[in-house]
């Protein structure tokens, strides 16, 4: 048994060390700790799987830096709830993955595995690249705007953001509590479903994932369709055609939701000031211009404006609940286009703000590519709380879409 576990640990380490010098997905990993954990974790539904932990999520054995110099070398006393559950289910947490500063916009060092001159997205950049390149099996990620969906699209992998509140947030640095949602990045839907069976806890409850076609698919170009690039527009149309050969695809008009993105920005900005009050008050000189601008904007929002935005958001959630009946899956863009160049930033969150505001579960599905061969994801969304059904529908969609593109093998310099 121990020999098998040591071989497994050696495989985990080799996966990382082969690609890490080029892709820079990790803030920390330790081969000695990986071997020790592989020997000590219990048998469970996640046995044999490795996990990369986004660096806004607490781990007792690795520093948690939140992508900020303020927290360089900071060691929490305990693991976050999600890390505890994964380890208890037999997974080996192999290290911490790069995040943007406080899961906002200032990028880390990670590059896109398909084109090293491009961004992997933000803020779950390290987890996305590590999963896409085969360095880990599960990447812990989070989303406050588009921090999970966009990297999944750019890196050609499955991104699962569950219904808001499905997973415990204990031990995860908050940015905007109305939206902060823990999720996973994987290379297939089955692994996402397996991780979900553990993370929804408190007791792991794995059940076989049975692919099931939805009753219908609602095509949502969203109010921002004119801002979608050619690769995204082509991918959405191709996905609609492929799905439409097997189930009914109907267009859904979302013009009533045109203010959702602005509402999201208002609520997020206001709550970020509260969440980062200590950092803003006592370490402002160590904050980036990007996060400082967010906090300055949030300080200018009146409480009455914030409350009005919350009420309008709740109205939109009720309206969406009328549109998404059981058995219906929504199909929507995942990102404006292919991954931008590193010099252009981490990409726009525009095509996820609406869905994050509505708190719906979403799966970013890979398989489609641009004319240049770069990944372009599409989103599948379900009704709030219908996460298991959405996973089953996504497993069906996985058989309809082309196979996930595989990034080129990394050749260290």
């Amino acid at each position: 048994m121990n020999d098998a576990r040591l071989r497994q640990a050696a495989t985990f380490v080799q996966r990382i060390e082969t690609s890490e010098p080029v892709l820079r997905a990790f803030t920390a990993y330790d081969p000695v700790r990986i071997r020790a954990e592989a020997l000590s974790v219990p048998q469970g539904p996640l046995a044999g799987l490795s996990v990369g932990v986004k660096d806004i999520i607490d781990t007792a054995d690795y520093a948690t830096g939140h992508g900020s110099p303020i927290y360089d070398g900071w060691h929490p006393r305990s693991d976050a709830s999600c890390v505890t559950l994964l380890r208890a289910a037999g997974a080996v947490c192999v290290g911490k993955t790069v995040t943007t500063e406080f899961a906002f916009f200032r990028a880390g060092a990670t590059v896109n595995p398909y084109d090293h001159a491009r961004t992997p997205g933000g803020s779950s950049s390290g987890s996305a690249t590590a999963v896409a390149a085969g360095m880990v099996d599960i990447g812990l990620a989070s989303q406050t705007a588009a921090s999970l969906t966009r990297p999944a699209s750019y890196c050609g992998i499955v991104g699962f953001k569950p219904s808001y509140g499905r997973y415990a947030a204990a031990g995860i640095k908050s940015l905007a509590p109305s939206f902060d949602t823990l999720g996973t990045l994987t290379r297939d839907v089955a692994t996402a479903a397996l991780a979900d069976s553990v993370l929804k806890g408190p007791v792991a409850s794995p059940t076989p994932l049975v692919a099931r076609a939805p009753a219908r698919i609602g095509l949502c170009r969203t109010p921002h369709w004119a801002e979608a690039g050619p690769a995204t527009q082509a991918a959405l149309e191709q996905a609609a055609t492929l799905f439409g050969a097997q189930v009914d695809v109907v267009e859904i008009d979302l013009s009533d939701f045109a203010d959702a993105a602005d509402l999201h920005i208002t609520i997020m900005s206001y709550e970020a000031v509260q969440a980062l009050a200590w950092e803003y008050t006592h370490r402002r000189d160590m904050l980036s211009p990007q996060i400082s601008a967010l906090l300055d904007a949030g300080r200018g929002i009146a409480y009455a404006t914030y409350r009005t935005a919350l009420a309008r958001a709740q109205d939109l959630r009720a309206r969406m609940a009328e549109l998404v009946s059981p058995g219906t899956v929504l199909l929507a863009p995942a990102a404006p286009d292919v991954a931008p160049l590193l010099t252009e930033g981490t990409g726009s969150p525009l095509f996820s703000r609406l869905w994050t505001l509505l708190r719906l579960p979403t799966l970013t599905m890979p398989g489609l590519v641009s004319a240049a061969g770069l990944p372009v994801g599409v989103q599948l969304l379900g009704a709030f709380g219908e996460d298991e059904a959405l996973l089953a529908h996504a497993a069906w969609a996985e058989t309809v879409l082309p196979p996930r593109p595989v990034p080129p093998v990394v050749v260290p310099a």
Side-chain angles (χ1 to χ4, degrees):
M1 174 68 76
N2 282 352
D3 286 347
R5 290 189 170 202
L6 285 173
R7 287 194 297 271
Q8 179 188 90
T11 299
F12 293 159
V13 173
Q14 182 183 32
R15 289 178 185 174
I16 296 171
E17 292 187 338
T18 298
S19 301
E20 177 60 14
V22 175
L23 299 181
R24 303 190 294 275
F26 283 82
T27 63
Y29 72 93
D30 182 347
V32 174
R33 289 178 183 169
I34 293 170
R35 293 185 187 99
E37 185 168 339
L39 287 171
S40 64
V41 291
Q43 282 296 317
L46 299 185
L49 298 180
S50 61
V51 177
V53 181
K54 182 177 179 177
D55 198 28
I56 60 164
I57 301 173
D58 287 350
T59 47
D61 49 354
Y62 290 101
T64 301
H66 305 306
S68 168
I70 296 172
Y71 289 93
D72 277 350
W74 183 70
H75 277 267
R77 188 180 184 90
S78 62
D79 288 343
S81 293
C82 56
V83 176
T84 300
L85 290 171
L86 292 172
R87 283 176 156 158
V92 174
C93 293
V94 297
K96 302 302 285 290
T97 55
V98 171
T99 181
T100 56
E101 177 194 32
F102 300 118
F104 193 58
F105 272 126
R106 186 176 68 178
T110 312
V111 300
N112 190 295
Y114 291 86
D115 181 344
H116 302 166
R118 295 182 182 273
T119 180
S123 63
S124 306
S125 51
S127 288
T129 286
V131 168
M135 301 164 79
V136 298
D137 300 303
I138 300 169
L140 282 179
S142 67
Q143 182 152 306
T144 306
S147 298
L148 190 157
T149 299
R150 192 167 74 252
S153 179
Y154 291 165
C155 293
I157 53 178
V158 172
F160 178 47
K161 185 198 79 67
S163 296
Y164 174 81
R166 183 173 175 85
Y167 301 158
I172 303 173
K173 183 70 171 174
S174 177
L175 181 63
S178 286
F179 306 131
D180 296 335
T181 305
L182 176 70
T184 59
L185 296 162
T186 59
R187 287 184 293 278
D188 55 53
V189 175
T191 306
L194 188 58
D196 175 72
S197 73
V198 171
L199 290 170
K200 69 183 181 185
V203 178
S205 54
T207 56
L209 178 65
V210 179
R212 186 171 75 251
R216 69 167 190 161
I217 291 177
L219 176 60
C220 302
R221 291 190 171 85
T222 80
H224 312 292
W225 184 241
E227 298 177 62
T232 285
Q233 291 198 359
L236 194 73
E237 300 294 354
Q238 185 180 353
T241 299
L242 290 170
F243 295 148
Q246 299 191 32
V247 300
D248 288 336
V249 175
V250 297
E251 294 228 23
I252 294 182
D253 180 12
L254 295 180
S255 56
D256 290 347
F257 296 79
D259 61 339
D262 289 339
L263 292 170
H264 176 271
I265 293 170
T266 296
I267 296 168
M268 183 178 73
S269 301
Y270 187 94
E271 293 186 355
V273 177
Q274 298 173 317
L276 298 179
W278 181 86
E279 292 84 354
Y280 188 87
T281 302
H282 297 290
R283 297 291 188 274
R284 195 179 315 175
D285 61 330
M286 299 177 73
L287 298 174
S288 71
Q290 295 96 319
I291 201 80
S292 294
L294 172 72
L295 300 179
D296 289 340
R299 287 168 63 85
I301 297 171
Y303 181 69
T305 302
Y306 168 65
R307 294 298 305 177
T308 299
L310 288 177
R312 171 62 177 158
Q314 193 59 37
D315 289 343
L316 291 180
R317 290 173 195 139
R319 170 69 177 135
M320 181 56 67
E322 297 173 356
L323 297 176
V324 190
S325 56
T328 297
V329 166
L330 304 181
L331 171 64
D337 211 322
V338 298
L341 295 171
L342 289 167
T343 53
E344 298 171 356
T346 59
S348 168
L350 180 63
F351 284 102
S352 287
R353 289 193 187 276
L354 164 65
W355 310 117
T356 303
L357 181 89
L358 298 179
R359 299 177 170 176
L360 299 185
T362 176
L363 274 140
T364 305
M365 300 298 297
L368 303 172
V369 296
S370 70
L374 293 172
V376 187
V378 294
Q379 288 193 76
L380 297 180
L381 302 110
F384 182 83
E386 295 294 323
D387 297 65
E388 284 92 349
L390 179 62
L391 285 161
H393 298 325
W396 165 83
E398 196 172 43
T399 68
V400 178
L401 292 169
R404 182 184 76 88
V406 178
V409 175
V410 171
V411 179

